[in-house]
Amino acid sequence: MPARQLLILRHAKSSWDDPKLADFDRPLAPRGQKTAPLIGRELSRRGWLPDLALVSPALRARDTWRLVAQELPKHVSADFAEELYEAEAGAILAHVRQVKATNLLVIGHNPGLQQFVLRLAGAGSDESVFKK
């Protein structure tokens, strides 16, 4: 069985400019619109190309994916998974386990995504990589 690759990406910087918008409907801030394509280019440069993207359906996550995907050298299908919006680590893990893609990209939100990464890292991981 080939090794699987899991790429994890928190959505790009979102805007808080309109306090009347529901959290789900918040767009990307200008900084997020600028940096999301850079992530797509970096994924391409490193050869970290997903077969499938699991993306939270929140606007900022969908827009992040759209901007990242435009920079990839091949078309990648996306599954906009309701389960990823406001998901806790266990829910993200359960959803990822159901996917059969060899190279999977997950785009979601903190704190659940960060908790998921820490859970995957395990006790033997180098803690210095988790410090800001």
Side-chain angles (χ1 to χ4, degrees):
M1 177 178 213
R4 294 181 71 191
Q5 181 180 53
L6 178 62
L7 305 165
I8 301 170
L9 177 62
R10 180 193 169 270
H11 62 78
K13 178 68 176 161
S14 60
S15 173
W16 291 91
D17 289 347
D18 186 349
K20 295 178 186 174
L21 276 180
D23 179 72
F24 188 88
D25 298 321
R26 287 191 299 113
L28 291 178
R31 186 174 105 194
Q33 293 171 9
K34 181 180 176 183
T35 58
L38 298 175
I39 297 298
R41 283 185 225 133
E42 186 63 16
L43 290 173
S44 294
R45 186 186 74 76
R46 292 178 182 240
W48 296 349
L49 303 176
D51 302 319
L52 175 69
L54 282 182
V55 182
S56 163
L59 179 60
R60 60 196 179 275
R62 291 190 326 247
D63 284 349
T64 298
W65 168 241
R66 178 180 51 80
L67 293 168
V68 166
Q70 289 174 354
E71 301 297 327
L72 300 178
K74 66 175 188 171
H75 171 76
V76 177
S77 296
D79 176 4
F80 298 97
E82 295 286 334
E83 301 87 353
L84 294 180
Y85 179 66
E86 296 186 334
E88 294 181 1
I92 297 169
L93 178 60
H95 200 69
V96 165
R97 282 183 169 160
Q98 293 175 359
V99 175
K100 302 297 182 209
T102 301
N103 300 309
L104 178 64
L105 170 64
V106 177
I107 301 177
H109 312 269
N110 281 342
L113 206 58
Q114 181 177 1
Q115 293 165 349
F116 174 60
V117 169
L118 291 172
R119 188 172 175 179
L120 290 178
S125 298
D126 180 355
E127 290 188 30
S128 68
V129 300
F130 300 114
K131 296 179 182 171
K132 293 183 178 185

